[in-house]
Amino acid sequence: QVQLVESGGGLVQPGGSLRLSCAASGSIFSINAMGWYRQAPGKQRELVATITSGGATNYADSMKGRFTISRNNAKNTVYLQMNSLKPEDTAVYYCNIRDLRIGYDYWGQGTQVTVSS
């Protein structure tokens, strides 16, 4: 019913930048939030940032000032601009969309981000 496809991951050096994209397709509900979560080996999945269909944003404290989330409602696409990347940012990044009417989540397959020299 809903499919999320991420792109833009890869290998970058410390201090570099990447922009992730996630396009949602299918039966998209109008009241929603889209966001990014990440999971490193041996750790639990954690919030990166979210943005509602109305434009309200929420960031994890460690990402504030370095990461920026945005969206294009006409394209049902969410973006994550990542600057000043650190090795500890290395993780699989997952796209998410939440139906805010019922609190149900859909997830993408994940895209690998590796920050290393």
Side-chain angles (χ1 to χ4, degrees):
Q1 186 174 10
V2 177
Q3 185 177 17
L4 301 171
V5 180
E6 301 105 327
S7 62
L11 174 65
V12 297
Q13 295 183 328
S17 298
L18 281 176
R19 187 178 72 177
L20 305 182
S21 299
C22 174
S25 61
S27 183
I28 306 302
F29 25 87
S30 59
I31 308 301
N32 66 74
M34 298 187 74
W36 294 92
Y37 296 73
R38 69 185 186 185
Q39 187 169 22
K43 296 184 178 180
Q44 294 185 334
R45 187 173 299 184
E46 65 175 346
L47 168 73
V48 176
T50 62
I51 182 168
T52 69
S53 49
T57 59
N58 182 49
Y59 294 89
D61 186 69
S62 62
M63 288 77 168
K64 291 180 180 178
R66 298 191 300 123
F67 293 3
T68 302
I69 191 169
S70 61
R71 63 185 290 166
N72 185 319
N73 289 337
K75 297 181 179 180
N76 289 319
T77 300
V78 63
Y79 307 92
L80 184 69
Q81 179 67 46
M82 304 185 294
N83 299 324
S84 301
L85 285 164
K86 306 173 182 179
E88 51 262 44
D89 294 320
T90 296
V92 177
Y93 285 70
Y94 294 92
C95 181
N96 165 272
I97 183 168
R98 173 171 292 181
D99 184 344
L100 294 178
R101 301 170 303 174
I102 59 176
Y104 188 83
D105 290 331
Y106 296 86
W107 295 92
Q109 80 288 345
T111 185
Q112 178 70 48
V113 172
T114 302
V115 185
S116 176
S117 298

